[in-house]
Amino acid sequence: MSSPRRTTIYDVAREAGVAASTVSRALNNPRRVNPATREHVLAVAERLGYRPDPLATALQSGHKATIAMLVPDITNPHFFGTIRGAEKRASEAGLTFILANTEESADNERNQIERLSRSVDGFVLAASRMQEATTRELAREYNLVLVNRQVEGLPSAVVDNGAGSRQIVEHLASLGHRSLVYLSGPHRSWPAAQRWRALRAAAEAHGMTARRLGPFPPRVEGGGVAADAGLGAGATALVAHNDLLAIGVLRRLAERGVPVPGQVSVVGYDDIFGADLCAPALTTVAGPHEEAGRAAVELLTRKGSLSRSQPAPQQVVLSSHLVIRRSTGPAAR
Amino acid sequence: MSSPRRTTIYDVAREAGVAASTVSRALNNPRRVNPATREHVLAVAERLGYRPDPLATALQSGHKATIAMLVPDITNPHFFGTIRGAEKRASEAGLTFILANTEESADNERNQIERLSRSVDGFVLAASRMQEATTRELAREYNLVLVNRQVEGLPSAVVDNGAGSRQIVEHLASLGHRSLVYLSGPHRSWPAAQRWRALRAAAEAHGMTARRLGPFPPRVEGGGVAADAGLGAGATALVAHNDLLAIGVLRRLAERGVPVPGQVSVVGYDDIFGADLCAPALTTVAGPHEEAGRAAVELLTRKGSLSRSQPAPQQVVLSSHLVIRRSTGPAAR
DNA sequence: CAACATTTGGCAATCGCTTGTCATTCAACA
DNA sequence: TGTTGAATGACAAGCGATTGCCAAATGTTG
């Protein structure tokens, strides 16, 4: 199974005719060693196929070169972009990337953090379900960066759905809609609150009425009840918490023979893969989620190195925009 | 930032009035220590909130409790099921789950394996791009389990697209098709070869002619050329290497005003999220990919513990089946 | 050529935990 | 009561790296 034995710095040292500490210094503290010696050591290391053991290194130095990303639901296509961006950035930075599912549970999230804490340098928490207080408390002990959630005093990278939400309202208003219904996701969810706030404010600014229904499970299956509720409320425009829910809504409306956008317009959030495949193609708010993932990892790494010189944690905000497709149209009268 | 200092076995030992080694044994070698003492030590550990340091443990014992999964392209929805299954199983088994992207490159794959080798107990290689010889060679040094690829002598979990492929042919034959065209993925790809083999054999058995075109990039963007090529070949049935390609084909056909399934039937593989959203909904081969992910991790863990008693590596084969939707219909005459 | 400043390299401790070895204790047996 | 054997717990040596401290070597200057 595993090889007879791995090459250690001692092997390199012996082979190069120097002390182990010299090898170590040649490898990561270049100026402490003679360039010629360094060269030689490096050559020997190369020849012997030496690879430092990350565990031994981490045990001694505390630097794990590893980060973990916690996601409420790996299944949800919404996170793919974020995961991808984070993985990419981590890989570029030479960091090992641990991915863990928290199954939508705050407890689980906390447990994972504690379980992994010894193995990683920090955490990227995507759409964290934990309470603000808990998060803040954990942040005192661990390196945390939030994605798509803001907590004062903590670093975060979010896609601001405010802009997209305003664009939804402008779009709907220009199509003659006088009201809209927001089919909400979990009320606890930070983006849900953020979206609803922006929608309501923008609606008011445009003289439209806005109502919130729900919460609905933010998945395709949730679309059934959500659509029925929206229809029951006599809405001409349904803004779903996310694309998954919107797609479910679309399905239910098709089942009930309700023409979209003839009778009802439907809008989603996230622009997930599939949003432009469904019929009718979904009008939705797209955001640079991959970018958010990258930014979060960036914040995490920066935080570690500059910890002292950078007292104010950064809050990266990325802007979103509306992608108009086929599921929205002039208000029925 | 990081806490003042973590609780170690020494803290526990002191507090419990025993030696550190006793604490260690109480924790993982129960029979070597008096039940009463053990009880006491455990209680103290609990009270002090002691958590073993995985790195220190791993450094000493070699048991990392961590596995890595290497995927050619995190972006590809095809892998989501497999990733999810693997992550779940790993989490259930108390294993830390590392996810890495290999960017479709065999070299990258190999590098990642070597880079991570010291940090993990084994690897799950999804749709590995490496040559058989390379894979075998690496398998002598590292714990590998393949997913959706088989190499003799190595453990693997695959979704057998043979069954699904035969069902495609039966389905098409029953609809009166006399020929089919396989729009191939990368010729190097193991599933591509497997699919084509099964399609050709089944076609022959049904007196149909089968042709292979390509390779095409197995992504939506590849659909353009693939569709044109298929049309050029005068096909009545296009079997695309995967759903992504099939969706691209569908798009191109729509663009060109070719009715589906009126003039041409289209079939995909994988049944990814979105396959039933597109218009027309895609007929495709679905397989238990999540199951394959689970199985792979299972094989990996089993392999580690029973290494000696289980000389013959297991090859798990899971069956696939055709999901008939709207993109296939009677052959145009 | 002597004396001093500056590099450069080696020794040994340490990170937190596991584990082989050995001394001690205690029970049971003759 | 003396002897043997099984249990039990303490000691100490690593696992593979980093790093503070000091000695040796080198170069520079008067």
Side-chain angles (χ1 to χ4, degrees), chain B residues 17-71:
Chain B
V18 299
S21 59
T22 304
V23 175
S24 173
R25 292 209 176 84
L27 258 32
N28 24 238
N29 202 349
R31 310 145 359 120
R32 277 285 273 121
V33 76
N34 184 311
T37 311
R38 174 174 146 72
E39 212 53 46
H40 177 221
V41 168
L42 257 43
V44 172
E46 172 70 38
R47 178 154 55 78
L48 262 48
Y50 166 76
R51 302 242 176 201
D53 181 334
L55 277 70
T57 305
L59 178 60
Q60 162 63 25
S61 71
H63 183 224
K64 328 273 192 341
T66 302
I67 62 170
M69 177 167 188
L70 268 40
V71 176

Side-chain angles (χ1 to χ4, degrees), chain A residues 276-311:
Chain A
D276 64 339
L277 297 176
C278 57
L282 191 64
T283 294
T284 184
V285 173
H289 292 278
E290 188 166 334
E291 198 52 49
R294 299 184 69 84
V297 173
E298 199 115 14
L299 287 177
L300 204 47
T301 55
R302 218 174 281 167
K303 192 181 174 190
S305 50
L306 311 182
S307 54
R308 224 136 301 277
S309 62
Q310 192 175 297

Side-chain angles (χ1 to χ4, degrees), chain A residues 8-259:
Chain A
T8 73
I9 47 169
Y10 299 104
D11 300 325
V12 177
R14 191 177 339 104
E15 189 73 12
V18 299
S21 59
T22 304
V23 175
S24 173
R25 290 207 178 86
L27 258 32
N28 27 238
N29 204 348
R31 310 140 6 116
R32 279 283 275 121
V33 78
N34 183 310
T37 312
R38 174 175 145 73
E39 211 55 44
H40 177 221
V41 168
L42 256 44
V44 172
E46 171 70 40
R47 178 155 55 79
L48 264 49
Y50 167 76
R51 305 241 173 201
D53 181 333
L55 277 73
T57 305
L59 178 59
Q60 161 63 25
S61 70
H63 181 225
K64 329 272 193 342
T66 303
I67 62 168
M69 177 167 188
L70 268 40
V71 176
D73 176 13
I74 303 204
T75 303
N76 191 329
H78 163 62
F79 294 111
F80 295 156
T82 318
I83 293 176
R84 186 183 169 204
E87 194 280 338
K88 261 192 174 170
R89 189 73 195 83
S91 157
E92 284 167 18
L95 299 173
T96 296
F97 184 77
I98 290 176
L99 181 65
N101 201 10
T102 64
E103 292 171 347
E104 307 276 0
S105 138
D107 283 351
N108 206 315
E109 204 171 333
R110 192 197 180 115
N111 286 339
Q112 296 270 23
I113 291 179
E114 283 175 348
R115 199 178 72 79
L116 291 171
S117 63
R118 299 293 254 272
S119 317
V120 306
D121 297 315
F123 295 88
V124 172
L125 267 35
S128 173
R129 300 298 193 244
M130 294 188 300
Q131 309 239 16
E132 283 212 12
T134 315
T135 313
R136 241 192 230 105
E137 181 196 323
L138 286 173
R140 274 188 293 123
E141 189 158 6
Y142 309 114
N143 274 324
L144 306 183
V145 173
L146 305 176
V147 174
N148 283 344
R149 170 154 182 195
Q150 286 181 328
V151 168
E152 211 193 308
L154 300 191
S156 59
V158 303
V159 169
D160 173 21
N161 284 297
S165 301
R166 283 187 289 280
Q167 289 175 12
I168 291 176
V169 174
E170 285 158 14
H171 174 59
L172 291 176
S174 78
L175 288 169
H177 291 268
R178 307 294 312 139
S179 69
L180 67 83
V181 166
Y182 176 55
L183 304 170
S184 179
H187 283 333
R188 270 285 187 70
S189 143
W190 186 81
Q194 184 209 33
R195 286 166 196 183
W196 169 235
R197 213 179 309 124
L199 284 173
R200 193 172 42 178
E204 190 168 352
H206 281 77
M208 288 174 63
T209 62
R211 292 179 56 189
R212 172 167 70 162
L213 301 180
F216 302 104
R219 295 184 298 272
V220 176
E221 309 84 74
V225 259
D228 287 357
L231 242 31
T236 67
L238 297 175
V239 179
H241 172 69
N242 67 12
D243 287 349
L244 253 20
L245 185 60
I247 287 171
V249 167
L250 245 27
R251 283 216 178 147
R252 177 65 181 153
L253 294 177
E255 257 176 52
R256 293 188 49 173
V258 177

